[in-house]
Amino acid sequence: MRLVKFMFLVLMCSCDAVYEIPDPFSGRYYGIDSVFRNQYALELIDTLDNAIYLDVNSLGSGLYDVKNENGYWVKDGLLTQNKLSIDISGFNGVIKFFEDSIYLEAVSNNSLIYVSHKAFLSR
């Protein structure tokens, strides 16, 4: 009888797991990135379509990182109205979150080159 009580006590103690609700936006998104480039000095204009993925990581308190193998698009960004602002490496823009997809739009412009990224990605 003591063994049964001990086993019951062990089972009760081991079942006290803490459950966290997964973040609705975190995860990996895949899609196509359309890149428009205008190199002013060379008078070269081109458009590229590249396969891309973005990893969205929740940092808690509404903060997110968005990155891939090339680096960060958003570092410690605050999610406001399902949007993250891009302001990194000379690019300005926004990442908009939908139910199971994201839309990225970012622009970099200086005296030498204009670069525009537009991408629609889904899980």
Side-chain angles (χ1 to χ4, degrees):
M1 185 66 175
R2 289 184 197 177
L3 183 60
V4 173
K5 287 182 182 179
F6 176 74
M7 291 301 288
F8 181 73
L9 183 62
V10 169
L11 285 174
M12 291 298 292
C13 292
S14 65
C15 293
D16 292 340
V18 176
Y19 297 101
E20 288 186 31
I21 298 172
D23 185 82
F25 300 121
S26 290
R28 182 167 279 190
Y29 294 82
Y30 300 91
I32 301 293
D33 182 18
S34 295
V35 182
F36 173 79
R37 294 186 304 186
N38 184 353
Q39 297 178 21
Y40 301 125
L42 301 175
E43 296 181 6
L44 217 122
I45 297 173
D46 63 348
T47 302
L48 305 167
D49 290 328
N50 301 314
I52 188 176
Y53 73 87
L54 292 176
D55 290 326
V56 177
N57 298 316
S58 173
L59 304 174
S61 301
L63 297 175
Y64 288 86
D65 283 345
V66 180
K67 63 182 177 176
N68 62 14
E69 75 276 3
N70 296 325
Y72 285 90
W73 279 102
V74 175
K75 182 90 172 132
D76 298 328
L78 179 63
L79 185 70
T80 307
Q81 298 178 350
N82 288 352
K83 296 178 189 175
L84 289 172
S85 294
I86 297 172
D87 187 11
I88 199 161
S89 300
F91 282 92
N92 293 303
V94 68
I95 296 176
K96 298 177 186 177
F97 287 85
F98 300 98
E99 186 173 322
D100 227 9
S101 59
I102 58 177
Y103 176 73
L104 176 142
E105 188 170 355
V107 172
S108 177
N109 192 16
N110 61 39
S111 61
L112 299 175
I113 190 169
Y114 171 87
V115 180
S116 169
H117 287 267
K118 292 184 181 181
F120 185 78
L121 302 94
S122 59
R123 292 182 197 206

